[in-house]
Amino acid sequence: MALFTALYDRVLGWSRHRRAPWMLAGLSFAESSFFPVPPDVMLAPMCMARPKRALRLAALTTGASVAGGVLGYLIGLLGLEVVLPLIQDAGYEAAYEQARRWFLDWGFWVVLVAGFSPIPYKVFTIAAGAMAVAWLPFVLASLLGRGARFFLVAGVISWGGPRAEPWLRRYMERIGWCSVIVLLGIAAYLSF
C-alpha cells in the first residue's frame, strides 16, 4: 500500500501551484493553534521544487507559524474552558498536562524546544496562554524555535534540491512509516 507516496505526490503537486505560498502560510498559521498537519509537509516539497526561494519560504512559514502561535496563546488565555474538551477529544490531554508541568519548571525554554521539536506546537501555545506565560518571551522563543526548525528544513531540502526528489520518492513509504512510529513513541512517552 503506497499511502505516503501518494500523499507525497499530491503535496508535491500542490507545492508547484501559483498560490502555494498562501497555502503554506495558511497551513503554518493553522497548525500552531488548532490544525494537526505540520507545515513541513508542504515547506519541504516547495523548497525542493524552488530551491532559490527556500529562505523566503522558511521566513514565511516562521512568521505565519508564530502568528498562529499567538492565536493559540490567546485561545489558552481567553478561552481555555471552551477549548479544553476539544483538546481532550483530540487525544492531546496528556501532552497538554505535560506541557503545563514543563512550563512550571522551564518557562521560556519549553517554548523554544517545542517550536523546534516534532511535539505538537499548538499544545504548547495553548498551555502558554492558559498559564499566562509572559507574552514577549513567548513570541521570542517561538521565533527562535520555529525559525530554527523551518530554516533547517528549508536549507537541507534546498541543498538536495531536485536531484534529491527521486531518492526521497523511492523511500517515502519507509520515511512515512518511521515518522508515524516516532510520533507514536513520543505520544506514548508523553502519556506516561
Side-chain angles (χ1 to χ4, degrees):
M1 182 163 90
L3 174 71
F4 292 102
T5 304
L7 182 62
Y8 171 75
D9 289 340
R10 181 171 297 167
V11 171
L12 196 59
W14 292 340
S15 73
R16 292 185 176 109
H17 192 275
R18 65 184 176 92
R19 290 199 177 98
W22 289 101
M23 291 188 277
L24 176 63
L27 176 61
S28 301
F29 180 86
E31 184 270 339
S32 294
S33 50
F34 60 87
F35 196 65
V37 178
D40 309 66
V41 300
M42 192 158 185
L43 175 63
M46 288 179 71
C47 291
M48 189 180 316
R50 297 183 176 111
K52 291 182 180 178
R53 294 186 181 177
L55 295 180
R56 189 177 323 150
L57 292 169
L60 173 68
T61 306
T62 301
S65 180
V66 171
V70 169
L71 175 62
Y73 182 95
L74 291 173
I75 289 170
L77 184 67
L78 304 173
L80 185 63
E81 301 81 28
V82 174
V83 176
L84 195 54
L86 298 173
I87 291 172
Q88 293 166 340
D89 290 344
Y92 288 136
E93 183 177 19
Y96 172 75
E97 291 302 325
Q98 184 68 47
R100 287 177 48 87
R101 287 191 295 273
W102 287 346
F103 273 116
L104 292 173
D105 295 335
W106 297 301
F108 170 89
W109 299 105
V110 171
V111 178
L112 182 69
V113 171
F116 189 78
S117 76
I119 299 169
Y121 180 60
K122 71 190 98 335
V123 170
F124 290 90
T125 65
I126 293 169
M131 297 187 68
V133 169
W135 189 79
L136 191 57
F138 167 79
V139 172
L140 180 60
S142 294
L143 277 170
L144 292 172
R146 296 307 261 181
R149 174 178 170 169
F150 297 135
F151 277 91
L152 178 66
V153 167
V156 168
I157 296 297
S158 67
W159 174 74
R163 68 182 181 272
E165 199 277 329
W167 179 89
L168 191 57
R169 188 172 194 293
R170 181 172 44 241
Y171 294 105
M172 184 50 60
E173 288 304 312
R174 291 180 191 165
I175 293 168
W177 288 113
C178 286
S179 298
V180 168
I181 291 168
V182 167
L183 289 174
L184 288 174
I186 290 170
Y189 173 77
L190 290 176
S191 66
F192 289 114

